[in-house]
Amino acid sequence: MTYDKTLFNESTVNVLVSRLASTRAERESLYKHFHQHPELSMQEVETSARIAAELDARQIPYSRVGKTGIVAVIQNGIGPVVALRGDIDALPMKETSGKDYASQATQLDEATGAEVPTAHACGHDFHTVCLLGALDAFHTQRDQWSGTLVGVFQPGEETASGAKDMVAHDIASAMPVPDVYLGQHVLGTLPGGAVGTRVGPVLSSAFSVKVGLTGKGSHGSMPELGVDPVVVAASIIVRLQTIVAREVAASETAVVTVGAIHAGTKSNIIPDSAELLINTRAYSSATSSHLKEAIERIVRAECVAARCPVEPTFTYYDEYPLTNNDAQATERVRGAFDSYFGDASMDLAPVPASEDFSIIPDALGAPYSYWGVGGFANPETAPGNHNPAFAPDLQPTLDRGSEALIVAACAWLSSGEGAE
Amino acid sequence: MTYDKTLFNESTVNVLVSRLASTRAERESLYKHFHQHPELSMQEVETSARIAAELDARQIPYSRVGKTGIVAVIQNGIGPVVALRGDIDALPMKETSGKDYASQATQLDEATGAEVPTAHACGHDFHTVCLLGALDAFHTQRDQWSGTLVGVFQPGEETASGAKDMVAHDIASAMPVPDVYLGQHVLGTLPGGAVGTRVGPVLSSAFSVKVGLTGKGSHGSMPELGVDPVVVAASIIVRLQTIVAREVAASETAVVTVGAIHAGTKSNIIPDSAELLINTRAYSSATSSHLKEAIERIVRAECVAARCPVEPTFTYYDEYPLTNNDAQATERVRGAFDSYFGDASMDLAPVPASEDFSIIPDALGAPYSYWGVGGFANPETAPGNHNPAFAPDLQPTLDRGSEALIVAACAWLSSGEGAE
Amino acid sequence: MTYDKTLFNESTVNVLVSRLASTRAERESLYKHFHQHPELSMQEVETSARIAAELDARQIPYSRVGKTGIVAVIQNGIGPVVALRGDIDALPMKETSGKDYASQATQLDEATGAEVPTAHACGHDFHTVCLLGALDAFHTQRDQWSGTLVGVFQPGEETASGAKDMVAHDIASAMPVPDVYLGQHVLGTLPGGAVGTRVGPVLSSAFSVKVGLTGKGSHGSMPELGVDPVVVAASIIVRLQTIVAREVAASETAVVTVGAIHAGTKSNIIPDSAELLINTRAYSSATSSHLKEAIERIVRAECVAARCPVEPTFTYYDEYPLTNNDAQATERVRGAFDSYFGDASMDLAPVPASEDFSIIPDALGAPYSYWGVGGFANPETAPGNHNPAFAPDLQPTLDRGSEALIVAACAWLSSGEGAE
Amino acid sequence: MTYDKTLFNESTVNVLVSRLASTRAERESLYKHFHQHPELSMQEVETSARIAAELDARQIPYSRVGKTGIVAVIQNGIGPVVALRGDIDALPMKETSGKDYASQATQLDEATGAEVPTAHACGHDFHTVCLLGALDAFHTQRDQWSGTLVGVFQPGEETASGAKDMVAHDIASAMPVPDVYLGQHVLGTLPGGAVGTRVGPVLSSAFSVKVGLTGKGSHGSMPELGVDPVVVAASIIVRLQTIVAREVAASETAVVTVGAIHAGTKSNIIPDSAELLINTRAYSSATSSHLKEAIERIVRAECVAARCPVEPTFTYYDEYPLTNNDAQATERVRGAFDSYFGDASMDLAPVPASEDFSIIPDALGAPYSYWGVGGFANPETAPGNHNPAFAPDLQPTLDRGSEALIVAACAWLSSGEGAE
């Protein structure tokens, strides 16, 4: 595969990127603000307000989509429509990064009613500020390009709920259908400052399922009077291992993890029920569907084997689609990255994580591409995403994220396409 | 096996038992008092105080052993020493018997700091009052018999801690070594008013063990970086089934129950650890020892199979010895019961439960016998012990329990033995 | 329980038993003959011919039932009808007892067409000769008793086919309905020369089942294209352990053994199928039925869990009923044994083996009792039945077996019952 | 990645390939001869003799290496040394292809002493004749190229024994160290006539291991006296599933298959032992080593869990190394293929099979590349290798295989390299 490295007007890109120098101090300050004011998924009220204020200050038009989503649209003549997406939510964790701007925040979790520590342990604050930086550059340099740039500030990525929510609140009426939908994530696995692209499956599909098992309680000394749900649960867990080991081709990527099991309170009482929390990963829809079918099949059969008096229940949640980068769009991004970043543009291995990124472009009928940005000088020692110590190097990460958005968008917006 | 039915002086027994008629109203009232004022194991302060008051009122000498244990000793000339034991503690449950004297009580659980409902859902209030009634009869009719009668009011049976506590507080100095140590339990499995005896193992030995498993946490999508303690726990549970199925003779009685398993909090995080609560039952010490060895062997081996980075831990608790009725003593009790109760004296099948009853006689070097008293007119509908609805028929149970103690004790105290 | 030890006329028994002294040399010689000429189940042609010859020589009337079964009937006036049963078949084993009269024999196995070594490794040659000895004593001393004595020489015990065969060939027309049907087995677990009796279940019920599993073959590197029957079989075996461990009360006796598993030929080919041979034991019909239901339930469910394309098959064989000694008949035998054998009459623990003994009395509607005879001076070192080294001490075993039959039969035939 | 498509002198290749037209009839006839005279691994005596005769007829120098291996060496001036390998052995199967030249042959299997049907069900007859065709072309057209061409006719690929045997018999002294070692395999998964290449792992490493488990036999009704090896084996099989499911990254390719299990003969006898045949696949040495460690760890731990009295045994066989195509060599081959074959040169997906191809170049210290040749017009209906119906289309397969060898070799031999 070869990439055409002359997809954009080099001087345009240089002008747009040069804008970043003049906004650097402001962007770093804004980043630290967001980092210190992290908000839980679908509760990003202050974050959303601050984004709106930043857009207002620059006179960039936007509309709200749902409670905390924002869609900014810069119409700038004839040409392609490019959407850039940044997610904005944080996690319920206590930050342990040791940064002087580390989060001390807490927030009332509306789901549980508990006040919990919060932290941007997945780097969405970077995504937000990088997107604001790119919008600012395109908006201030409108004479350099032609077309429409859309900025999608998406809430609730961590709970797989934000993209769905924006679709439900009719994001389609808030923006034109884009020619391409672009997004990025700061990662510890790429060299610091590098950008990594990949055609095809780049993030796995995932779903979680809570399995409720009902046996029949009894005194621990009289198992024959009950149906032991602990043994049923254990048999299921053991049997689930055969899905990946026997039912999925070795060349396919699939994971079935039982992350939690809870049953019983006392050693000498056989409980009535048991609960499993299962998570899966797959890099194809067919495999994901197979995992779902196989889990239900095995759970049901083990309940029959044990003569459980009640059918097991399956409650699905955290369902993430496959992030399957469009080949043409991604090659176009890669060509631009190769041209601009040189050796810092590299291949991205499939990331064993999941995103709701693709839900909006799929709803809009747009091709998409999603890339990674290296956030740590030393990948060997970088904490993983969601680790409480996760806090990328401030720079060059903050600049690089905006640059990547500008360069990629220019592969359409300064390519001359539609601009004649 | 034949029983000599002329072990006691029939007229003596009749005189002693006739005393119960005159104390019936008082005993029923006292029973209802205890039933409505149940106290948790090793917290039986008011119960113990009331027992002491009852003994004081009758001028029966006694001493305190430990915080709530009481040992009454009626010395009455030359002759055998017979000890009668009644346990006095209640359970942390809300009574649902529907009796008009049902417990509404709560108590602060000193172990957890929580105020909990309490109920005599195992019938120890019967045991207490029946013992008081028997002591009263023997004490008021001292001219009818010769020897020494000891009444042991034992706390903390439900947590396997009371008998140990009385031994630790030197019960041996509070009473002479008995020729026999006798006890009883009200049950729903015998016909109402029946007394059931059995030579040899009558209650199982039991122990519980908390097993701590340490794996290595990881993101749910990257099991290869961790050691999944959920799979280790499940493999252990499945493998433990082979102990009873393959390692213990079919003619032996053994139970291994995993009553609780807890691991993890989220579907997509492989946790660091898992915890199992296991309970066992056996009717021989050899089998019980085998169960302990086998559980440890299997748990350790499964941890090795999974390359757990840390050794599993085993914390034993609720260890109950085998209640193994002395043949000679029990046949003597049975002979007396057959003679007095006729057809209401019957065989008792091994009870799938455990007791700390044998700890004191074993410590004192005395033979013992433990029998059952039927507490419900209809065994078919009787709730099991520890069921929140457990509340035996007031009568004839209350009389029958005192009669059984009197009749059994008389097999020694009015047998003429040592009295010449 | 007490036994009436005066069930028979002592002098009658002594006269009958005294006959054994005069036949001892002949019986020992006959025993060695049978021991050296063992024949497989349902192929006992020479054995049967020799039994017939021995009966002919004594003018004891008999008829053939089926190919090799023989029923001798000695009618001797008014009185009870007592049937004594001896089984006559041997096993396909090479004897390693080291006896100078050890078997060197082989026989063509009609089922397989193979010539196999044969040995009386279960002691049926004793049963045969002891029965002949008892018949001879009763026949020669007809003036000592009154009633009818029946001798049943039963083939094919080892394959659970002989008793069924005699019923199918109308044994009912070859003998009167007996008042009691008696049998015995030489054992290594009783002291040498002792006789052991037991009321109720004495030998377990048993059945075997061949389970055929059909998966879907594939190359070993492509399990996803197949359904791995090896994993299905293993999951079933592991899961079957829960039947005894969880579904049967600890106080019940049950065994589920997978004695054989066969699947596949090469490491890198996933085979199409697997086969299990399962054997069970139980001491009650309800438990045996439960085992059958549970095995089928678990096997079927595991096949569903694995999406086997074909239903599993179940082929039952070697089905033995429970041997459940009649209480009245057994107490009568026990009283006679206590009286005659004194301390050598003892309790027999349930034997973990099975017999087709009960099929004929059940078919005839007769109560039955089955006892054990100790065959080795030292039970500690005695080889078990079916061990190739099993060969009981010639004496006193041979005399004791005849004595036991005589004494037991006399509890009816010289009891005065029906003889007025 | 881009390939330099001008690695060879086009006219040279054309001259060499044109030679194939004149040998076509002879090659087809020779192919049918080999197809009808298949010989088992390491017993390829007649096959080897015929190859020698063909080389003799063309005056191509060669030497024998081991019993049936042949190394032909055509020295032709200064230049690179290129080795071409063809394997020559067949399989013990009855061919069901329906071809009019299908094999009817049988051969005495020296390992088992049995006369077995034989067939070239893996296409090695193609490899042999294609190599002969290429050698003939290079030998007859020596004026077209410069360097040294080596032809390696390797026996015993199917049993992983032939390459080892040639190394053991000092193949190093029979040929110069090659600059590249090239080989190919006819496949049903590529379009007919296509050639498929791949950098890096192309065929998995594999090993088989026979696991011997020793329990302790017992009667089926007395499992407590034994150690049930059937349950141990089943527990192992179930537990082995966790290796692929939990210990290997989802992105890695690994397979652990238990292809066979055998234990016991009768339902009611717990056998002494069980045997498993396990096969593994991996695309990296680290993963293969991990599989070996994990299998041994789990087997040993399960034996400890069950208290097996004897250590398990592990007998490794059929150990195939990873076929890991050298990047530079493979890109050179690919460039030549792209140039010559155009669209018929394509990517080869990793093949879920194993080869001993790499053993010789690894022993010689030479880089290697191994490619696939499509053998069936319709891959959808093509039988897999080792299927008894496997018999590729005679043409264009036979020509294409020789062409591929010629084209690839010319990437070195007519590249001008070393020819100054």
Side-chain angles (χ1 to χ4, degrees), chain D residues 51 55 60-66 68-74 83-84 135 149-154 166 170-176 181 360:
Chain D
I51 292 165
L55 295 170
I60 299 175
Y62 64 90
S63 48
R64 296 186 173 279
V65 177
T68 52
I70 288 177
V71 175
V73 179
I74 305 173
L84 304 177
L135 289 173
L149 184 73
V150 180
V152 177
F153 295 90
Q154 185 209 300
M166 291 187 84
D170 200 16
I171 188 174
S173 72
M175 62 181 282
Y181 190 91
I360 291 173

Side-chain angles (χ1 to χ4, degrees), chain D residues 111-419:
Chain D
T112 65
E115 188 77 16
V116 295
T118 55
H120 267 296
C122 199
H124 296 188
D125 45 355
F126 268 100
H127 307 165
T128 302
V129 177
C130 291
L131 178 51
L132 281 168
L135 289 173
D136 170 85
F138 276 101
H139 192 253
T140 55
Q141 316 295 330
R142 285 193 297 280
D143 58 337
Q144 297 289 319
W145 57 282
S146 177
T148 301
L149 184 73
V150 180
V152 177
F153 295 90
Q154 185 209 300
E157 188 279 329
E158 296 291 357
T159 54
S161 51
K164 283 181 197 156
D165 187 73
M166 291 187 84
V167 170
H169 285 87
D170 200 16
I171 188 174
S173 72
M175 62 181 282
V177 175
D179 291 286
V180 70
Y181 190 91
L182 303 171
Q184 64 183 1
H185 208 295
V186 61
L187 298 171
T189 51
L190 286 167
V195 289
T197 50
R198 179 179 192 81
V199 167
V202 61
L203 294 166
S204 60
S205 70
F207 65 83
S208 287
V209 56
K210 181 170 74 175
V211 176
L213 303 170
T214 304
K216 187 176 161 199
S218 179
H219 192 275
S221 66
M222 289 176 282
E224 72 278 10
L225 302 182
V227 172
D228 186 340
V230 173
V231 170
V232 177
S235 297
I236 288 169
I237 293 167
V238 169
R239 203 69 162 86
L240 288 175
Q241 309 306 313
T242 63
I243 300 175
V244 169
R246 297 278 89 185
E247 299 192 12
V248 175
S251 55
E252 281 286 324
T253 298
V255 183
V256 176
T257 287
V258 181
I261 172 171
H262 293 284
T265 56
K266 295 199 62 177
S267 68
N268 65 345
I269 298 176
I270 295 172
D272 273 321
S273 63
E275 185 179 286
L276 305 178
L277 301 183
I278 303 175
N279 180 255
T280 74
R281 305 279 161 161
Y283 282 102
S284 84
S285 299
T287 299
S288 184
S289 296
H290 180 79
L291 298 184
K292 187 175 288 190
E293 180 273 326
I295 290 169
E296 289 208 12
R297 168 171 28 94
I298 288 171
V299 169
R300 288 185 200 284
E302 291 297 334
C303 287
V304 170
R307 54 179 181 167
C308 287
V310 174
E311 288 275 301
T313 59
F314 300 88
T315 310
Y316 290 90
Y317 62 104
D318 286 0
E319 295 190 76
Y320 291 92
L322 183 66
T323 305
N324 189 7
N325 277 342
D326 180 74
Q328 280 195 309
T330 303
E331 282 170 24
R332 196 159 175 170
V333 169
R334 177 61 179 268
F337 281 0
D338 283 358
S339 177
Y340 183 82
F341 294 114
D343 285 350
S345 169
M346 51 183 65
D347 289 341
L348 179 66
V351 182
S354 302
E355 257 277 4
D356 69 351
F357 167 77
S358 66
I359 288 174
I360 291 173
D362 279 351
L364 298 174
Y368 61 80
S369 190
Y370 184 91
W371 65 81
V373 178
F376 295 83
N378 184 359
E380 297 296 318
T381 60
N385 297 73
H386 288 211
N387 187 307
F390 184 87
D393 303 340
L394 183 58
Q395 291 293 9
T397 318
L398 203 58
D399 285 357
R400 191 51 47 100
S402 284
E403 287 167 27
L405 291 169
I406 291 166
V407 169
C410 280
W412 280 262
L413 298 177
S414 79
S415 67
E417 191 182 326

Side-chain angles (χ1 to χ4, degrees), chain D residues 7-88:
Chain D
L7 284 166
F8 56 82
N9 184 314
E10 194 173 332
S11 68
T12 296
V13 166
N14 288 338
V15 171
L16 286 163
V17 167
S18 68
R19 168 70 182 169
L20 295 176
S22 56
T23 61
R24 183 166 297 125
E26 189 183 356
R27 286 184 291 111
E28 292 184 357
S29 171
L30 183 61
Y31 167 77
K32 290 177 181 173
H33 170 79
F34 283 130
H35 195 78
Q36 292 179 313
H37 296 82
E39 293 179 296
L40 296 173
S41 299
M42 306 313 290
Q43 300 181 217
E44 313 89 341
V45 176
E46 297 303 324
T47 301
S48 180
R50 180 62 185 264
I51 292 165
E54 294 292 325
L55 295 170
D56 283 336
R58 288 163 181 77
Q59 297 181 295
I60 299 175
Y62 64 90
S63 48
R64 296 186 173 279
V65 177
K67 183 171 152 199
T68 52
I70 288 177
V71 175
V73 179
I74 305 173
Q75 287 178 312
N76 190 33
I78 293 169
V81 179
V82 173
L84 304 177
R85 176 264 206 177
D87 41 1
I88 66 175

Side-chain angles (χ1 to χ4, degrees), chain B residues 4-5 7-8 183-184 194-197 330-346 370-373 400 403-409 411:
Chain B
D4 180 348
K5 298 182 177 174
L7 283 165
F8 55 83
Q184 64 184 1
V195 289
T197 50
T330 303
E331 283 171 23
R332 195 157 174 172
V333 169
R334 176 63 178 266
F337 281 0
D338 283 358
S339 177
Y340 184 83
F341 294 113
D343 285 350
S345 169
M346 50 184 65
Y370 183 92
W371 63 81
V373 178
R400 189 54 46 101
E403 287 168 27
L405 290 170
I406 291 166
V407 169

